[in-house]
Amino acid sequence: MSDPTYTPPKVWTWDAASGGKFANINRPVAGATHDKALPTGKHPLQLYSLATPNGVKVTMMLEELLEAGYSEAEYDAFLINIMEGEQFSSGFVKVNPNSKIPAMVDHSTTPPTRLFESGSILLYLADKFSAFIPKDAAKRAECMNWLFWQMGSAPLLGGGFGHFYAYAPEKYEYAINRYTMEIKRQLDVLNQHLAEHQYMCGDEYTIADIAIWPWYGALVKGKLYDAGEFIDAASYTHVIRWADMINKRPAAKRGRMVNRTWGEPHDQLHERHDASDFETKTQDKLV
Amino acid sequence: MSDPTYTPPKVWTWDAASGGKFANINRPVAGATHDKALPTGKHPLQLYSLATPNGVKVTMMLEELLEAGYSEAEYDAFLINIMEGEQFSSGFVKVNPNSKIPAMVDHSTTPPTRLFESGSILLYLADKFSAFIPKDAAKRAECMNWLFWQMGSAPLLGGGFGHFYAYAPEKYEYAINRYTMEIKRQLDVLNQHLAEHQYMCGDEYTIADIAIWPWYGALVKGKLYDAGEFIDAASYTHVIRWADMINKRPAAKRGRMVNRTWGEPHDQLHERHDASDFETKTQDKLV
């Protein structure tokens, strides 16, 4: 139930105290808050990220490219601690004026190319290496349909359901109902599609799978917002079949560890600068 | 203020009565509700849509292509009345299993290619005609950054702010504050960028502009959710400069009229099957 006396003011003003969790890093303005350059490593690709679902998309893709033998996909992954506001440094804002992870710079071009938005980074890498994207025009179109589906759908999962179910300071029944209905609808879209297709775009593992898995694969396995029982995750059997299949890929396991700062210590690789960085990690606990 | 006694149940169940406006067309499941084929017209491209911001993106793009002389971009635009549930017909679901407008079929390929998600349709058309997308690789990457930015940002505008500010059955202060802060941040991202760039990706008018304008151009002109004063739209002067510039384009004016079923009668072209269909419309009132 809402407060029946609330009427929005004529002009909204910012009350910094009203934001709940993440209130300290959510602002109604854009741009840098402090002057600090980004570090740069030795490889062509420089990633600035964190192992949230959007961050994991990119590290999964990079590890798949390396697994497939594309050595030009070697990368340095630097940690951006978003709870500390590192996404508001002048260096980060220059790469991504939207101040969200992941952001990447490709130093193999002159001048270097800035990339932001996980979907844009996935598509850039897929086209750069002609990998994990169908070569056939019709299949490519279908792959793009699902890549964009993920980009337009997940904000209602992360910025809607996840916020109100897990993070908001109180349990708002109307908002929880609204977004639960929507994410169950989204899961059913996937479930019906994956009942008839091995991967999102047919027989090939593509960037559409890589984009969808860190969000909806985690959700259906009960690993996002501790919401598995609430949304009856077990009923989406075809999504679970697909998620389990991807979960077994070595590149997916490695990708999930990069820039991870929570969970078990052996699953955390805070920064990644070389393939050997994984050797001290077990790689088999994070399933 | 929320009801302090609310505790989410262990397993969520659907209460169809709790959805506010649009409750009758929001469901927690996907798929067709009734058996009905889609109509097909005479042109290569068949569009099934409505003149919401996501729908307008595509009609703007098609009208720009025709304006630029690409006659293969000729299209039939059929109306999908989403309040009547036409997006749940078996024919529509076959084209877009996500049951959202816009959806399109390209009959110039064998077999025909299905397209859904406005961003996917824009990119498909841009690549098909090599138009409204930069040919230079670095500029193309920047264009994709902003296209994906729009796809990931607008759900928090339409599915967050718009819903809670304009459509929810009650005014929920926390949710309105949350999403207002976010859309003001998004507008400031655009405003700072457009202070230094003529269009989103530099000097060229591209699909990034076409994707962003129907949402953020309308918002900053006070034409979305009647929220101009509330968000202090007048302060985003660079976005307004850019929105006004696009607003003057003949293709943008025509694109906004297609599949429109509200506003002044002379601004509504419910279906579009031929360029001459616009002749009975004034085209100059919708600014």
Side-chain angles (χ1 to χ4, degrees):
Chain A
M1 213 161 18
S2 71
D3 180 346
T5 65
Y6 177 63
T7 304
K10 278 202 177 301
V11 182
W12 183 83
T13 53
W14 184 23
D15 172 11
S18 71
K21 194 176 177 183
F22 306 124
N24 59 322
I25 58 167
N26 285 336
R27 305 181 303 153
V29 290
T33 58
H34 61 286
D35 204 41
K36 191 181 177 190
L38 288 174
T40 305
K42 63 187 174 185
H43 295 302
L45 299 173
Q46 299 295 306
L47 178 66
Y48 305 96
S49 195
L50 184 69
T52 66
N54 286 332
V56 164
K57 293 176 194 172
V58 178
T59 48
M60 280 177 69
M61 176 64 170
L62 290 165
E63 293 295 333
E64 287 287 354
L65 289 166
L66 292 169
E67 184 93 12
Y70 297 97
S71 59
E72 288 300 305
E74 272 292 350
Y75 67 106
D76 294 88
F78 290 96
L79 186 67
I80 300 295
N81 188 330
I82 60 172
M83 297 306 287
E84 298 294 324
E86 292 181 357
Q87 69 275 36
F88 302 119
S89 74
S90 55
F92 191 91
V93 168
K94 204 171 164 187
V95 177
N96 182 3
N98 195 46
S99 285
K100 302 281 181 187
I101 65 92
M104 199 171 80
V105 179
D106 182 354
H107 289 268
S108 76
T109 64
T110 307
T113 302
R114 79 174 187 182
L115 299 156
F116 57 91
E117 291 291 329
S118 55
S120 183
I121 297 173
L122 289 180
L123 181 56
Y124 180 89
L125 291 172
D127 278 341
K128 180 183 175 82
F129 294 101
S130 295
F132 303 104
I133 192 165
K135 288 173 181 56
D136 173 76
K139 287 182 181 168
R140 180 186 171 104
E142 178 73 0
C143 181
M144 290 296 97
N145 290 341
W146 288 109
L147 177 64
F148 279 100
W149 176 88
Q150 191 282 322
M151 293 295 292
S153 297
L156 300 172
L157 168 54
F161 175 79
H163 181 82
F164 283 101
Y165 185 73
Y167 300 133
E170 299 178 59
K171 300 297 182 198
Y172 298 91
E173 182 171 8
Y174 176 83
I176 289 173
N177 281 336
R178 166 173 169 74
Y179 292 113
T180 302
M181 178 155 65
E182 169 62 9
I183 65 159
K184 283 180 69 73
R185 188 193 67 79
Q186 294 175 1
L187 281 172
D188 199 31
V189 169
L190 293 176
N191 202 52
Q192 293 190 29
H193 186 72
L194 289 167
E196 297 181 356
H197 301 83
Q198 185 181 17
Y199 292 105
M200 287 306 301
C201 312
D203 296 337
E204 287 178 72
Y205 182 61
T206 71
I207 53 174
D209 301 289
I210 292 173
I212 294 170
W213 185 82
W215 283 105
Y216 297 91
L219 181 65
V220 85
K221 296 292 285 183
K223 295 184 182 301
L224 208 54
Y225 313 124
D226 198 19
E229 185 179 4
F230 185 66
I231 63 166
D232 192 17
S235 65
Y236 302 99
T237 54
H238 304 292
V239 185
I240 290 172
R241 185 268 308 159
W242 163 89
D244 286 341
M245 182 172 61
I246 296 172
N247 205 30
K248 291 178 187 143
R249 300 177 72 95
K253 291 185 183 181
R254 290 199 302 275
R256 290 176 69 182
M257 298 166 67
V258 177
N259 296 150
R260 187 175 167 108
T261 59
W262 54 88
E264 296 295 319
H266 56 252
D267 292 329
Q268 299 180 26
L269 187 60
H270 289 197
E271 299 207 345
R272 186 273 188 205
H273 301 288
D274 193 274
S276 66
D277 292 346
F278 293 101
E279 288 173 8
T280 59
K281 305 294 170 181
T282 61
Q283 298 186 41
D284 55 2
K285 298 281 175 57
L286 194 70
V287 291
Chain B
M1 213 166 14
S2 70
D3 181 346
T5 65
Y6 176 63
T7 304
K10 276 199 178 302
V11 181
W12 183 82
T13 53
W14 183 23
D15 172 11
S18 71
K21 194 176 177 185
F22 305 124
N24 58 323
I25 58 167
N26 285 334
R27 305 180 304 153
V29 292
T33 58
H34 59 287
D35 203 42
K36 191 180 178 189
L38 288 174
T40 305
K42 63 187 174 184
H43 295 302
L45 299 173
Q46 298 295 307
L47 178 67
Y48 306 96
S49 194
L50 184 69
T52 66
N54 287 332
V56 165
K57 292 176 194 173
V58 177
T59 48
M60 280 176 72
M61 176 65 170
L62 290 165
E63 292 296 333
E64 288 287 355
L65 288 166
L66 292 169
E67 184 93 12
Y70 298 97
S71 60
E72 288 300 305
E74 270 293 350
Y75 68 105
D76 294 89
F78 290 96
L79 186 67
I80 300 295
N81 188 331
I82 60 172
M83 297 305 288
E84 298 294 324
E86 293 180 356
Q87 69 275 37
F88 301 119
S89 75
S90 55
F92 191 90
V93 168
K94 203 170 165 188
V95 177
N96 182 4
N98 196 46
S99 285
K100 302 280 181 187
I101 65 91
M104 199 171 80
V105 179
D106 182 355
H107 289 268
S108 75
T109 64
T110 308
T113 302
R114 78 174 185 181
L115 298 156
F116 57 91
E117 291 291 328
S118 55
S120 183
I121 297 173
L122 289 180
L123 181 56
Y124 179 89
L125 291 171
D127 279 341
K128 180 182 176 82
F129 295 101
S130 295
F132 302 105
I133 192 165
K135 289 174 180 56
D136 172 77
K139 287 182 181 168
R140 180 187 171 103
E142 177 73 0
C143 180
M144 290 296 98
N145 290 341
W146 288 110
L147 178 64
F148 279 100
W149 176 88
Q150 191 282 322
M151 293 295 291
S153 298
L156 301 172
L157 168 54
F161 175 79
H163 182 80
F164 283 102
Y165 185 74
Y167 300 133
E170 297 179 59
K171 300 298 181 197
Y172 298 91
E173 182 171 10
Y174 176 84
I176 290 173
N177 281 335
R178 166 174 169 73
Y179 292 114
T180 303
M181 178 156 62
E182 170 62 8
I183 66 158
K184 284 180 68 74
R185 188 192 68 77
Q186 294 175 2
L187 281 171
D188 198 32
V189 168
L190 293 176
N191 202 52
Q192 293 190 30
H193 186 72
L194 288 166
E196 297 181 355
H197 300 83
Q198 186 181 17
Y199 293 105
M200 286 308 300
C201 313
D203 295 337
E204 287 178 72
Y205 182 62
T206 71
I207 53 173
D209 300 288
I210 292 172
I212 294 169
W213 185 82
W215 283 104
Y216 296 92
L219 181 66
V220 85
K221 296 292 286 182
K223 294 184 183 299
L224 209 54
Y225 313 125
D226 198 19
E229 184 179 5
F230 185 65
I231 62 166
D232 192 16
S235 65
Y236 302 99
T237 54
H238 304 293
V239 185
I240 290 172
R241 185 268 306 161
W242 163 89
D244 286 341
M245 183 172 59
I246 296 171
N247 205 30
K248 290 177 188 146
R249 299 177 73 94
K253 291 185 184 181
R254 290 199 302 276
R256 291 176 70 184
M257 297 166 67
V258 178
N259 296 149
R260 187 176 169 108
T261 59
W262 54 88
E264 295 296 318
H266 55 252
D267 291 330
Q268 299 180 27
L269 187 59
H270 290 196
E271 299 208 344
R272 186 275 188 206
H273 300 288
D274 193 274
S276 67
D277 292 346
F278 292 100
E279 288 173 9
T280 58
K281 305 292 169 181
T282 60
Q283 297 187 42
D284 56 1
K285 299 282 176 57
L286 194 70
V287 289

